[in-house]
Amino acid sequence: MKVTETDNIVFATVPLIHNPSAAASPDPGVPKGIREPVPNTGPSGTIDLHLDVYRTPSPRPTPVVVQIHGGGWLRGDRPSSSSSFGGFFAAGASVVTVQYRNAIDAPAPAAIQDVRCALAWVKANAGKYNFDLNRVIVWGGSAGGHLALMAGYAPASFNPAGCTDQPPVAAVLDDYGPTDLVAGLKQHGSTDFTHQWLGLDLPLPAASPAAGRPAGQRWPEPSPAVLARAREMSPLTYIRPGLPPTFIVNGDSDRTVDPTQSAELKKALDAAHIPNGQDVIAGGGHGGFSTEESEKAMLLSLKFLKANGAID
């Protein structure tokens, strides 16, 4: 099967918004395997957002998987290849990979708004790329899993101007995404990037005996405003009947996003009678699963999508 690839499509030009919290990691590094940046075409103080389309040939409209990258909301971009999308292509789906503003570009909720704009682009361009708007699937890992959940769960108040006409989300695939950012403010592994993306406080000065706090405490105790913002940005806040079917993949030994985040999501989905499933990988960490476990997770995800009508 030959997939047609179209790269670096500008789907929005959005403002850069100062985030003092992100100064805690002025250079978070560049992950391997992501797209090389392209020149910005917008005015000063803005950033172009790009997406890539991998179109699967079909005589009729195809399901479309909107893939959202991870990186703690701090770093990363679209993958530079389609090597991890083979299962979706084999199932007859096309894939759209999405850039969003990282924390250094803008604090929360900018990334959620950008993903919502990408969904609006998918709807506006469905005819051109042969997308089936009744089978739009959002998928992401880590921070991308969180954004996939928010794409499917968050209310319309998160929609930015000009991006309100979106297709319904048929299903969500959440790979080890944060679900409760209030808990994430304190949980080992997620404290730094959660504070930095929320963008409402500053790291403490270097600890000293006179500071009267533990040497490892980097951030102040969350203020009411920080806690309120964390709840507002948490997928668990928006669990209600009628949400899209959701499949969760996570390792039970994840030291970056505590496994309780996925467990609490599963519990809440069950209570709201939302179709859901979960693949808990024994001994698995924060991604980086074995080839065997990754293939199993993809097969279970595809089986779930088929059972819920999102793919054939």
Side-chain angles (χ1 to χ4, degrees), residues 3 11 19 26 29 37 54 76 79 98 110 112 129-130 170 173 179 212 263 289 300:
V3 174
F11 71 90
N19 180 0
Y54 300 87
V98 175
I112 302 168
Y129 293 99
N130 200 34
L173 300 178
T179 65
F289 307 132
L300 290 173

Side-chain angles (χ1 to χ4, degrees), residues 24 185-188 191-192 195 201-223:
L185 289 168
K186 289 295 192 76
Q187 287 174 338
H188 176 76
T191 299
D192 266 1
H195 276 279
D201 53 6
L202 296 173
L204 296 166
S208 68
R213 67 174 189 274
Q217 185 178 350
R218 190 180 188 201
W219 297 88
E221 288 298 313
S223 68

Side-chain angles (χ1 to χ4, degrees), residues 52-77:
D52 306 320
V53 176
Y54 300 87
R55 179 178 173 182
T56 298
S58 174
R60 59 193 182 93
T62 66
V64 56
V65 176
V66 178
Q67 186 267 350
I68 309 164
H69 71 83
W73 306 286
L74 283 169
R75 64 183 198 147
D77 203 336

Side-chain angles (χ1 to χ4, degrees), residues 161-211:
C163 297
T164 57
D165 190 15
Q166 301 163 22
V169 172
V172 178
L173 300 178
D174 161 38
D175 292 357
Y176 43 89
T179 65
D180 179 359
L181 271 59
V182 173
L185 289 168
K186 289 295 192 76
Q187 287 174 338
H188 176 76
S190 63
T191 299
D192 266 1
F193 59 76
T194 303
H195 276 279
Q196 289 180 75
W197 184 59
L198 294 177
L200 292 180
D201 53 6
L202 296 173
L204 296 166
S208 68

Side-chain angles (χ1 to χ4, degrees), residues 2-289:
K2 184 172 177 58
V3 174
T4 302
E5 179 177 348
T6 308
D7 298 333
N8 296 321
I9 301 168
V10 176
F11 71 90
T13 299
V14 293
L16 296 168
I17 302 171
H18 178 60
N19 180 0
S21 302
S25 294
D27 182 9
V30 179
K32 295 180 180 179
I34 67 171
R35 289 252 172 234
E36 290 291 329
V38 296
N40 203 58
T41 64
S44 176
T46 68
I47 183 173
D48 291 334
L49 298 178
H50 302 84
L51 52 77
D52 306 320
V53 176
Y54 300 87
R55 179 178 173 182
T56 298
S58 174
R60 59 193 182 93
T62 66
V64 56
V65 176
V66 178
Q67 186 267 350
I68 309 164
H69 71 83
W73 306 286
L74 283 169
R75 64 183 198 147
D77 203 336
R78 297 149 295 141
S80 58
S81 81
S82 60
S83 59
S84 61
F85 306 151
F88 296 120
F89 298 150
S94 297
V95 175
V96 173
T97 66
V98 175
Q99 177 188 7
Y100 56 85
R101 280 171 290 181
N102 290 322
I104 293 174
D105 303 320
I112 302 168
Q113 295 170 334
D114 296 344
V115 171
R116 287 284 179 88
C117 270
L119 288 173
W121 182 94
V122 165
K123 182 171 182 179
N125 291 274
K128 180 177 181 179
Y129 293 99
N130 200 34
F131 299 147
D132 183 344
L133 292 179
N134 292 313
R135 296 191 290 176
V136 176
I137 301 151
V138 287
W139 169 49
S142 192
H146 164 271
L147 294 173
L149 291 165
M150 290 296 281
Y153 294 7
S157 58
F158 282 83
N159 296 338
C163 297
T164 57
D165 190 15
Q166 301 163 22
V169 172
V172 178
L173 300 178
D174 161 38
D175 292 357
Y176 43 89
T179 65
D180 179 359
L181 271 59
V182 173
L185 289 168
K186 289 295 192 76
Q187 287 174 338
H188 176 76
S190 63
T191 299
D192 266 1
F193 59 76
T194 303
H195 276 279
Q196 289 180 75
W197 184 59
L198 294 177
L200 292 180
D201 53 6
L202 296 173
L204 296 166
S208 68
R213 67 174 189 274
Q217 185 178 350
R218 190 180 188 201
W219 297 88
E221 288 298 313
S223 68
V226 169
L227 293 173
R229 177 62 58 86
R231 282 189 291 271
E232 183 187 8
M233 300 300 145
S234 296
L236 280 177
T237 299
Y238 304 104
I239 301 294
R240 61 195 183 278
L243 289 177
T246 300
F247 192 79
I248 306 161
V249 176
N250 70 285
D252 67 0
S253 300
D254 192 333
R255 296 183 181 274
T256 302
V257 174
D258 196 287
T260 59
Q261 299 260 333
S262 293
E264 288 300 313
L265 175 61
K266 178 76 168 63
K267 180 180 177 181
L269 293 172
D270 286 342
H273 305 291
I274 298 160
N276 71 87
Q278 186 176 21
D279 177 25
V280 180
I281 297 173
H286 193 65
F289 307 132

